[in-house]
Amino acid sequence: MPVPWFLLSLALGRSPVVLSLERLVGPQDATHCSPGLSCHLWDSDILCLPGDIVPAPGPVLAPTHLQTELVLRCQKETDCDLCLRVAVHLAVHGHWEEPEDEEKFGGAADSGVEEPRNASLQAQVVLSFQAYPTARCVLLEVQVPAALVQFGQSVGSVVYDCFEAALGSEVRIWSYTQPRYEKELNHTQQLPDCRGLEVRNSIPSCWALPWLNVSADGDNVHLVLNVSEEQHFGLSLYWNQTGPQIITLNHTDLVPCLCIQVWPLEPDSVRTNICPFREDPRAHRNLWQAARLRLLTLQSWLLDAPCWLPAEAALCWRAPGGDPCQPLVPPLSWENVTVDVNSSEKLQLQECLWADSLGPLKDDVLLLETRGPQDNRSLCALEPSGCTSLPSKASTRAARLGEYLLQDLQSGQCLQLWDDDLGALWACPTDKYIHKRWALVWLACLLFAAALSLILLLKKDHAKAAARGRAALLLYSADDSGFERLVGALASALCQLPLRVAVDLWSRRELSAQGPVAWFHAQRRQTLQEGGVVVLLFSPGAVALCSEWLQDGVSGPGAHGPHDAFRASLSCVLPDFLQGRAPGSYVGACFDRLLHPDAVPALFRTVPVFTLPSQLPDFLGALQQPRAPRSGRLQERAEQVSRALQPALDSYFHPPGTPAPGRGVGPGAGDGT
């Protein structure tokens, strides 16, 4: 049922006096002045900086009165905008100072002193215009001949055409000189709306006024708005209340297209419109989290989102373990087809919508069939190097399997994924093929190569591992800029040891290009494949994010934000802990006085959690290779890292100008004692 205090606004108000306006042709601003004066308009707007009042050196021109007039600026007969013409009346203020010799001796100064009094006066007059959301300042240069210079008398006016303004808006105009010798003039004016203009048929925004019908259908209420197809309109559902109000919006409801309109319930009241979430990272994150790809038919896909999205959709393919998804070459028709969704040159969504029908990702070969005129068709196999024509004598995997793949396609053993007038896409299994050709030769070669490689690798790997050091991926929550500097200092100190440290602070360009999820996924896979270790650096912000993830069970990719990399990592890190794969590949750490190890969620305490710098020796020992012998220099290296880390710790816990010894906040934070 409709709520009685939830009203629909379609206020028409009283009929105002009808105005007939002069028309100006052309987009260019112009200026003209009273007879005898000369004036010039600067080519571009200036900064609105009135400055302080300074003493006048003698007679000066000063604005004395502002006068406005509504006109129309028209590109053509039926395409006009409301414009405000401004006239500034000027007068001569001030006087010549008596020469010092004349005051001292009571006589007249020589004839050279009289010459400035017979000179013309010049002034730079500024017009400042404000009408939400527009603000402009223009500069008019005015010159008055000596014959018109009469102290305290008006010398005429200068007219500016014109400031464009919105219908029904309130405008404010200030005028002063540069430099400013007197207090600026100001003028406030309320502009009429479409109902007060005789020429409203010339203004596109006044062409149509909507009509509303309300009808009931059981418990439902239908609102029917009758407008032309070309007319854009806004519809407001509002609370009819008085007095100050605080309206709370759930952060999960924020999207870029959410706008707010506020106005007093009075006839012809000015409405304030703001869309404060257009650039808000949280709103864009919510938008993409709410966006969904849906499979309608085999050839029809739909992207659902709360707001209009400027995005491109393309069909792509990805080999097992391959990243990222690669485009189809040559491409199929992509209308209403998507797997990758990109916006602002960033990957926002990537879904395999065939997963339900195909099952888990398999090592199949994708065959792309292209159709030409007269039923001509060609087949190629998609590979990372491109699309290999079949049959082919190339040395690629698909070329070697070409004969078998074509036989499977003809016998109906391949699964059709796509079919249209331009071509088709097939998935052909390869797990059944056992290559017997050259099997013995290959086996002998492989055994020899394996034995030789094993001998070389046993010698090389030890030297290589010692030289390169173990890979370490450092994950943290960017609570603030100070904590980021502390993380950077720790990463730099660890790089002085035989460790290869990866941290998002040093990979901002790749992080921005790939997105947090793709970047972390690639770094984690590479680190673990090389036998490296993932370091979880816990802070109050990280603990809060982990707790939120464990409670809600969801964490989607979003736009840029302070916790993007750490939040993105949780979707891959948590399964390793839940499935018992974390020990040996993960360690935890936190800083003394910032977080107590007991504040770390219990799930993450299944791996060692060290406090720094008090447990640096044990921490560095955990970062060594699993089978590496304990180095006698471990204590020396711990002292080296501690010395490198101490300035950053002092700066973080004892910032300049703050007497408090600690700054830890959040769960488990120390008190700095």
Side-chain angles (χ1 to χ4, degrees):
M1 292 295 291
V3 182
W5 43 263
F6 203 51
L7 306 179
L8 177 73
S9 170
L10 190 67
L12 296 180
R14 299 187 297 255
S15 297
V17 177
V18 177
L19 302 176
S20 179
L21 305 182
E22 177 185 346
R23 294 172 181 263
L24 302 178
V25 179
Q28 298 298 324
D29 294 347
T31 184
H32 57 276
C33 45
S34 301
L37 306 184
S38 62
C39 52
H40 170 70
L41 172 65
W42 274 38
D43 294 335
S44 58
D45 290 1
I46 64 172
L47 294 176
C48 302
L49 300 173
D52 298 328
I53 297 177
V54 298
V60 294
L61 290 177
T64 59
H65 178 61
L66 288 175
Q67 188 175 355
T68 61
E69 179 185 0
L70 287 175
V71 295
L72 290 179
R73 170 172 284 171
C74 302
Q75 305 297 327
K76 53 185 179 180
E77 183 68 22
T78 59
D79 185 8
C80 300
D81 292 305
L82 193 63
C83 212
L84 195 63
R85 171 184 290 163
V86 181
V88 184
H89 296 267
L90 302 171
V92 179
H93 288 182
H95 56 83
W96 293 110
E97 295 183 359
E98 293 296 333
E100 184 178 346
D101 292 343
E102 184 176 346
E103 293 178 0
K104 182 175 181 180
F105 301 106
D110 57 35
S111 59
V113 179
E114 295 295 335
E115 184 177 349
R117 304 191 181 197
N118 297 324
S120 61
L121 288 181
Q122 293 182 348
Q124 291 186 335
V125 180
V126 177
L127 283 177
S128 175
F129 173 86
Q130 290 187 8
Y132 181 84
T134 303
R136 292 184 58 196
C137 279
V138 297
L139 182 64
L140 311 175
E141 289 187 335
V142 185
Q143 183 171 355
V144 180
L148 297 180
V149 177
Q150 299 292 331
F151 302 142
Q153 298 297 319
S154 175
V155 297
S157 62
V158 58
V159 179
Y160 171 73
D161 283 330
C162 57
F163 292 114
E164 293 186 8
L167 293 164
S169 63
E170 181 183 80
V171 300
R172 296 183 178 182
I173 302 173
W174 290 266
S175 180
Y176 51 89
T177 59
Q178 281 189 343
R180 189 160 64 100
Y181 302 116
E182 298 180 358
K183 184 178 180 181
E184 66 269 17
L185 297 179
N186 65 80
H187 173 78
T188 302
Q189 183 171 346
Q190 182 70 46
L191 302 187
D193 56 18
C194 296
R195 291 165 292 121
L197 300 176
E198 187 181 59
V199 291
R200 63 187 181 190
N201 289 336
S202 300
I203 302 178
S205 59
C206 294
W207 285 350
L209 292 176
W211 294 97
L212 179 71
N213 291 321
V214 181
S215 62
D217 181 12
D219 291 339
N220 299 320
V221 175
H222 298 292
L223 307 177
V224 181
L225 195 60
N226 183 19
V227 295
S228 64
E229 293 183 358
E230 300 82 8
Q231 179 72 11
H232 296 274
F233 65 91
L235 187 65
S236 300
L237 300 175
Y238 69 95
W239 282 274
N240 182 10
Q241 304 222 0
T242 59
Q245 299 290 328
I246 298 178
I247 300 174
T248 302
L249 299 176
N250 193 322
H251 70 92
T252 59
D253 296 332
L254 303 183
V255 289
C257 57
L258 177 62
C259 299
I260 301 170
Q261 185 181 79
V262 182
W263 71 96
L265 295 180
E266 299 174 358
D268 298 334
S269 59
V270 177
R271 300 194 175 200
T272 300
N273 296 276
I274 57 173
C275 299
F277 310 110
R278 285 177 178 171
E279 306 299 331
D280 193 317
R282 298 170 302 173
H284 283 271
R285 182 165 58 249
N286 292 338
L287 174 61
W288 283 109
Q289 287 177 348
R292 293 293 181 269
L293 282 170
R294 292 195 294 114
L295 177 63
L296 301 181
T297 66
L298 278 178
Q299 300 184 22
S300 180
W301 308 67
L302 179 64
L303 175 62
D304 287 331
C307 301
W308 179 82
L309 288 174
E312 293 183 356
L315 189 66
C316 66
W317 74 281
R318 181 170 58 191
D323 191 35
C325 200
Q326 302 184 44
L328 293 176
V329 180
L332 293 174
S333 175
W334 56 272
E335 288 83 354
N336 299 324
V337 180
T338 183
V339 168
D340 275 355
V341 178
N342 295 273
S343 177
S344 301
E345 300 182 356
K346 290 187 58 181
L347 178 64
Q348 300 288 0
L349 285 177
Q350 187 178 93
E351 296 186 19
C352 182
L353 301 182
W354 286 297
D356 293 339
S357 59
L358 293 180
L361 192 63
K362 293 173 288 191
D363 192 14
D364 293 351
V365 173
L366 293 178
L367 297 185
L368 182 61
E369 176 186 349
T370 55
R371 297 165 183 162
Q374 300 179 353
D375 294 332
N376 292 330
R377 73 170 190 168
S378 61
L379 286 168
C380 64
L382 292 173
E383 296 186 281
S385 59
C387 204
T388 304
S389 299
L390 297 181
S392 172
K393 295 182 179 180
S395 59
T396 64
R397 172 174 175 265
R400 292 192 297 269
L401 297 177
E403 180 181 351
Y404 302 103
L405 294 173
L406 293 176
Q407 291 177 0
D408 288 347
L409 181 63
Q410 294 175 359
S411 62
Q413 298 184 43
C414 297
L415 176 64
Q416 188 177 62
L417 303 176
W418 182 263
D419 186 22
D420 64 10
D421 295 337
L422 298 180
L425 186 64
W426 307 82
C428 298
T430 60
D431 52 0
K432 64 180 180 179
Y433 299 126
I434 301 176
H435 305 289
K436 297 181 180 180
R437 183 180 299 178
W438 306 104
L440 294 177
V441 177
W442 277 110
L443 181 59
C445 292
L446 290 175
L447 288 175
F448 177 78
L452 182 61
S453 300
L454 181 61
I455 296 174
L456 295 176
L457 288 175
L458 288 176
K459 295 182 178 181
K460 186 178 180 180
D461 283 351
H462 178 72
K464 184 178 179 181
R468 296 182 61 199
R470 192 182 188 189
L473 175 59
L474 189 58
L475 300 180
Y476 69 99
S477 170
D479 293 2
D480 53 43
S481 59
F483 188 74
E484 280 192 313
R485 288 192 292 270
L486 187 57
V487 173
L490 176 61
S492 299
L494 294 179
C495 285
Q496 304 302 318
L497 309 178
L499 288 173
R500 291 178 290 114
V501 180
V503 63
D504 64 348
L505 280 173
W506 301 339
S507 306
R508 288 292 168 84
R509 180 176 297 178
E510 293 84 355
L511 186 70
S512 177
Q514 300 176 20
V517 174
W519 181 87
F520 169 75
H521 178 72
Q523 293 294 328
R524 169 187 167 275
R525 184 178 65 240
Q526 179 180 352
T527 300
L528 296 183
Q529 285 178 351
E530 295 178 357
V533 60
V534 179
V535 180
L536 300 179
L537 191 57
F538 289 99
S539 64
V543 170
L545 285 174
C546 292
S547 301
E548 176 186 348
W549 209 102
L550 291 172
Q551 292 173 2
D552 298 341
V554 293
S555 181
H560 292 87
H563 307 297
D564 276 352
F566 188 82
R567 184 188 298 272
S569 68
L570 292 179
S571 60
C572 293
V573 167
L574 284 174
D576 290 342
F577 281 84
L578 293 172
Q579 298 173 17
R581 299 193 301 264
S585 300
Y586 289 77
V587 297
C590 58
F591 289 103
D592 294 326
R593 294 185 293 167
L594 181 62
L595 189 76
H596 195 277
D598 292 341
V600 176
L603 178 64
F604 297 95
R605 295 202 300 271
T606 55
V607 300
V609 179
F610 303 97
T611 57
L612 306 178
S614 60
Q615 294 181 331
L616 262 176
D618 295 334
F619 175 69
L620 297 182
L623 297 185
Q624 288 186 337
Q625 294 286 355
R627 298 179 181 85
R630 283 277 178 167
S631 172
R633 299 180 57 191
L634 193 60
Q635 183 63 35
E636 178 183 346
R637 291 175 176 174
E639 293 175 358
Q640 176 184 349
V641 173
S642 180
R643 286 193 300 270
L645 192 59
Q646 195 59 45
L649 288 169
D650 294 338
S651 175
Y652 185 79
F653 291 105
H654 306 282
T658 58
R663 59 184 296 175
V665 293
D671 57 4
T673 57

